[in-house]
Amino acid sequence: MSIRIGIYGYGNLGRGVEAAIRQNNDTELVAVFSRRNPETVKISTEGVPVVSADSVEDYKDKIDVMIICGGSATDLPVQTPKLAKLFNVIDSFDTHANIPTHFANVDVAAKEGGNVGVISVGWDPGMFSLNRLYANCILTDGVDYTFWGKGVSQGHSDAIRRIEGVADARQYTVPVQEALDAVRNGENPELTTRQKHTRVCYVVAKEGADKAAIEEQIVKMPNYFSDYDTTVNFITADEMARDHSGLPHGGLVIRSGKTGLNGEHNHIIEYSLKLDSNPEFTACVLVAYARAAYRFSQEGVSGCKTVFDVPPAYLSALSHEEIISHLL
Amino acid sequence: MSIRIGIYGYGNLGRGVEAAIRQNNDTELVAVFSRRNPETVKISTEGVPVVSADSVEDYKDKIDVMIICGGSATDLPVQTPKLAKLFNVIDSFDTHANIPTHFANVDVAAKEGGNVGVISVGWDPGMFSLNRLYANCILTDGVDYTFWGKGVSQGHSDAIRRIEGVADARQYTVPVQEALDAVRNGENPELTTRQKHTRVCYVVAKEGADKAAIEEQIVKMPNYFSDYDTTVNFITADEMARDHSGLPHGGLVIRSGKTGLNGEHNHIIEYSLKLDSNPEFTACVLVAYARAAYRFSQEGVSGCKTVFDVPPAYLSALSHEEIISHLL
């Protein structure tokens, strides 16, 4: 019997979840829920209905885990607690500062519904968090570094697109190689924002736009660019479509720490991701944690969980015997 | 109140555990158990007794978790089940093929004693296993690679030392850079033993020994060297002491996998360790899992566990609120 999954929200992430379900034989897509008119939403899985988000309650007994694919700014703070009353849920809530509040809200709602809610699942928060935790527990005397990229930041790309005269834009966050090298060498450098990442922008200007003015507005933009070394490249719409249509991302979590009676030995733990598709990878993590939510639920557990609370074995479709024999 | 820890076996690993306990404020060393005459064993922690292994039963109610620091070949298969009847235990059993049997034996003994036994804790098995599992659960369509080194293989060093005319030897296992590059590029190469690792040996020959004969015996030694490209460097005893007295090690676990409706996107997950001291790092992992064993035990859980069964949060001395706020 498969784990019956619903997708709530059908953007890049929802499409990624749909694809990931096909790669996991013990999961099955039951329905996609959308706030748009369902007739206008075309999905890739034959025979699976697109249902209005307003009718989600009708699926209460037809879905084992709902994977919520909304945005963290305004969608998830409302959707996840609401849906956790009806379903086991997974989300990728990624506003780090608000995670404790979100956890508390989902915990109350999930317990009320007798369901499990796993929040902040993906790669950061998610796999990067796990690696920060494991590395901190092992090397208690150490320093953490997180680098992002090379990858597309959608928030920064959007910020450029709002500048007058810009037709399209793509912004890549890129770790600074010298900083990475120093960290990997165990030098434990103190790094400013500027020393850790650079920002590389590709911009399609509208006809007749003042490129110098656009470039100046970008590099001086507070919060987004002014604290970084930013490079602006003007390209054509064709070049944008040809070279920058993907959503690659990735990054590294490194902990450098000392052991020994006198801290005489240094150790570097490094976890890195190179992702051709940020949303599809995130979706794969969500589906693995959907399996864990289902297992918790089968055990009668309810309430909010994070990646820190899930025994790794719960993520696997394989039996305990198999993972001990083949992966330990 | 601290977690009261015993160390059973005081070699490199036992000394590493002793140092690691000092870096974890919620743990405390109660006693070191040795099969040697306790009077001949000098430890680094003042006021802590060295006790004969024969008297371990006297400590039944004085120790929360026993960290067993014996060898996998003959010590741990006997020691871990025996001690699991008396104590919560942790070991670093690393004979991969025999893990299922060891798990079954420890499970029976630990349940009989009402204790928890966490086996095969360290970095491989241990952190590498965890990374293989996580990566397999996320990228279900992919290929795994494990590389070891650059680091000292004690088994290979010992094999060289047994050759006639050899006074001392140190063998480094080194990943082949071209193989690593191909894996990181997502080429999913099929790699032979020779293509993955090289072996670099440093040998101190006895006076008048036939170096050419020693070198030939090394590079042709079956199982240990004949399947590898092996380099032999003859050095002086002084050079050995100066340049090769440490026990560095490390390695990489990489999974390369595809996502998307048509497998059109590639992803690379890489976990790597660069360790100045193999035994001290392993010891740090053991102490973190001792904390988890203690938590399980406080919950009334008994039986055998592996790193796959432990929720990551159980490894941390911090509260759940703290790890959610600072590490997620």
Side-chain angles (χ1 to χ4, degrees), chain A residues 48-295:
Chain A
V48 169
V50 179
V51 178
S52 165
D54 298 334
S55 306
V56 69
E57 212 162 335
D58 300 347
Y59 280 78
K60 189 172 171 8
D61 299 319
K62 296 174 190 161
I63 283 174
D64 295 313
V65 185
M66 184 72 81
I67 301 182
I68 312 177
C69 300
S72 292
T74 55
D75 295 337
L76 298 176
V78 178
Q79 291 172 352
T80 308
K82 192 177 137 197
L83 292 169
K85 292 184 189 173
L86 301 168
F87 304 98
N88 298 309
V89 296
I90 308 287
D91 79 18
S92 60
F93 185 78
D94 66 0
T95 312
H96 290 262
N98 298 340
I99 288 175
T101 304
H102 190 56
F103 183 93
N105 292 341
V106 174
D107 195 48
V108 169
K111 283 178 176 154
E112 188 183 318
N115 295 311
V116 175
V118 190
I119 62 160
S120 302
V121 173
W123 58 274
D124 194 3
M127 299 312 297
F128 274 18
S129 321
L130 276 173
N131 278 281
R132 283 187 286 261
L133 179 69
Y134 278 119
N136 271 269
C137 295
I138 295 168
L139 297 174
T140 55
D141 178 13
V143 186
D144 289 310
Y145 296 90
T146 301
F147 291 90
W148 293 276
K150 181 185 172 183
V152 173
S153 165
Q154 301 196 59
H156 288 77
S157 301
D158 289 343
I160 301 174
R161 286 192 202 99
R162 286 191 291 265
I163 294 173
E164 200 186 312
V166 171
D168 197 4
R170 202 76 83 254
Q171 194 268 185
Y172 293 89
T173 306
V174 184
V176 174
Q177 191 61 45
E178 292 73 29
L180 256 180
D181 291 344
V183 169
R184 285 174 171 155
N185 284 339
E187 297 168 20
N188 294 357
E190 287 190 34
L191 298 167
T192 62
T193 299
R194 191 178 297 276
Q195 288 170 324
K196 284 184 72 184
H197 297 95
T198 57
R199 299 199 176 278
V200 179
C201 312
Y202 294 88
V203 178
V204 180
K206 288 181 184 162
E207 193 151 339
D210 180 344
K211 292 182 179 176
I214 291 172
E215 177 163 348
E216 187 172 332
Q217 280 189 70
I218 294 173
V219 300
K220 292 191 172 169
M221 196 186 297
N223 300 318
Y224 285 87
F225 293 100
S226 61
D227 293 337
Y228 298 85
D229 290 335
T230 301
T231 313
V232 179
N233 304 286
F234 287 95
I235 59 174
T236 66
D238 286 349
E239 287 168 332
M240 180 65 83
R242 186 190 69 202
D243 301 333
H244 304 285
S245 62
L247 292 171
H249 218 315
L252 310 99
V253 170
I254 302 177
R255 188 165 173 88
S256 169
K258 301 197 172 300
T259 67
L261 290 173
N262 302 299
E264 62 271 37
H265 292 125
N266 202 66
H267 307 270
I268 305 281
I269 305 175
E270 175 172 333
Y271 180 79
S272 80
L273 296 174
K274 276 188 291 191
L275 313 176
D276 275 358
S277 165
N278 182 355
E280 286 180 8
F281 185 84
T282 301
C284 289
V285 184
L286 289 168
V287 170
Y289 278 90
R291 184 178 292 118
Y294 179 70
R295 298 231 172 126

Side-chain angles (χ1 to χ4, degrees), chain A residues 129 259 272 280 309 320 328, chain B residues 129 259 270 280 309 320 328:
Chain A
S129 321
T259 67
S272 80
E280 286 180 8
D309 306 305
H320 200 260
L328 193 63
Chain B
S129 320
T259 67
E270 175 172 334
E280 285 180 8
D309 305 306
H320 200 260
L328 192 63

